[in-house]
Amino acid sequence: DAKTTQPPSMDCAEGRAANLPCNHSTISGNEYVYWYRQIHSQGPQYIIHGLKNNETNEMASLIITEDRKSSTLILPHATLRDTAVYYCIVRGAYNQGGKLIFGQGTELSVKP
Amino acid sequence: NAGVMQNPRHLVRRRGQEARLRCSPMKGHSHVYWYRQLPEEGLKFMVYLQKENIIDESGMPKERFSAEFPKEGPSILRIQQVVRGDSAAYFCASSPPREGSHEQYFGPGTRLTVT
């Protein structure tokens, strides 16, 4: 699975959009980009995933560059409850293993 | 639909004792994963199981640790002769069996403290 690089920390004002970048320059054609978050020692929570098209769900949007070497997770209106560590993970298709390899992630602090 | 359940939520063991951590996956899920988070460190994969089979145990320590997921009942992570370095949060996740399923659903974790 390809390696990912994320900034260690970011701040965001409450109500503003939070844009969390991830670099995955060695991603291969059949690897997906996943985002999870962990709120203060709770179990990680799945947010969104994508292959090459942009994706949106009720939690967030995922923008993947055309060359797939980087992506951005967007929380459109961040709240204090979005304060968490956000993990960008690259993984092969489902039938290739299943395990998630977590990096250090980005610690997002949403401030009032 | 209840989420992934783990018990106990907190477990205290003395050095040399055994620790048994239980994980009940979400209804209909037949794939279970165990992860460990040491204090001030990231999450590390330990083992991936399907019913009655270990699929990937590449993250399991070679000694004292074992895992099972029987046909009936919860998945069990067993740590024999615990040491202080085993103190950590242990998370279980589950996913459904269908091809193309991407999400893993995590439980609240078991905090193991070895005294």
Side-chain angles (χ1 to χ4, degrees):
Chain A
D1 295 332
K3 181 178 169 56
T4 63
T5 304
Q6 299 178 251
S9 63
M10 291 182 64
D11 289 342
C12 178
E14 189 179 18
R16 305 297 292 269
N19 298 286
L20 292 92
C22 179
N23 183 288
H24 32 79
S25 57
T26 61
I27 194 169
S28 61
N30 67 348
E31 289 183 315
Y32 289 79
V33 179
Y34 295 82
W35 284 83
Y36 281 76
R37 72 180 182 183
Q38 186 176 27
I39 298 173
H40 188 57
S41 301
Q42 296 178 19
Q45 178 187 23
Y46 164 84
I47 301 173
I48 200 167
H49 75 275
L51 184 62
K52 52 185 175 182
N53 297 321
N54 297 338
E55 303 287 344
T56 295
N57 63 20
E58 65 278 3
M59 287 183 69
S61 294
L62 174 60
I63 309 298
I64 302 174
T65 57
E66 193 169 340
D67 63 7
R68 302 211 322 124
K69 293 185 177 182
S70 65
S71 61
T72 301
L73 178 75
I74 301 172
L75 307 178
H77 304 287
T79 71
L80 298 178
R81 288 178 295 178
D82 291 321
T83 293
V85 179
Y86 287 77
Y87 297 98
C88 169
I89 299 167
V90 170
R91 198 191 80 175
Y94 170 78
N95 60 0
Q96 290 185 10
K99 65 186 176 187
L100 296 170
I101 308 297
F102 289 86
Q104 295 305 305
T106 295
E107 187 166 5
L108 176 68
S109 296
V110 180
K111 299 182 184 299
Chain B
N1 188 10
V4 176
M5 298 175 68
Q6 292 188 247
N7 64 81
R9 295 291 304 276
H10 299 273
L11 181 62
V12 179
R13 284 287 177 266
R14 290 198 178 99
R15 280 180 298 169
Q17 290 184 320
E18 178 179 286
R20 279 182 180 244
L21 288 63
R22 288 178 290 278
C23 169
S24 296
M26 288 180 69
K27 186 176 180 180
H29 288 193
S30 58
H31 296 210
V32 165
Y33 311 80
W34 286 93
Y35 295 84
R36 177 167 69 171
Q37 189 167 33
L38 294 166
E40 307 303 323
E41 292 191 21
L43 288 143
K44 304 292 184 189
F45 166 79
M46 299 181 76
V47 63
Y48 165 32
L49 310 105
Q50 295 178 17
K51 286 283 188 181
E52 299 184 280
N53 285 305
I54 296 175
I55 306 302
D56 180 356
E57 56 182 346
S58 58
M60 287 281 269
K62 293 287 184 270
E63 298 177 345
R64 303 187 296 107
F65 285 72
S66 62
E68 63 176 9
F69 188 17
K71 187 176 180 181
E72 301 291 338
S75 175
I76 306 288
L77 180 68
R78 182 180 177 209
I79 311 172
Q80 295 178 290
Q81 298 176 313
V82 296
V83 301
R84 288 219 172 104
D86 297 331
S87 295
Y90 291 83
F91 293 98
C92 165
S94 73
S95 66
R98 65 180 182 273
E99 178 125 356
S101 172
H102 291 270
E103 303 98 288
Q104 290 184 17
Y105 298 85
F106 283 78
T110 294
R111 270 87 184 155
L112 172 66
T113 301
V114 178
T115 62

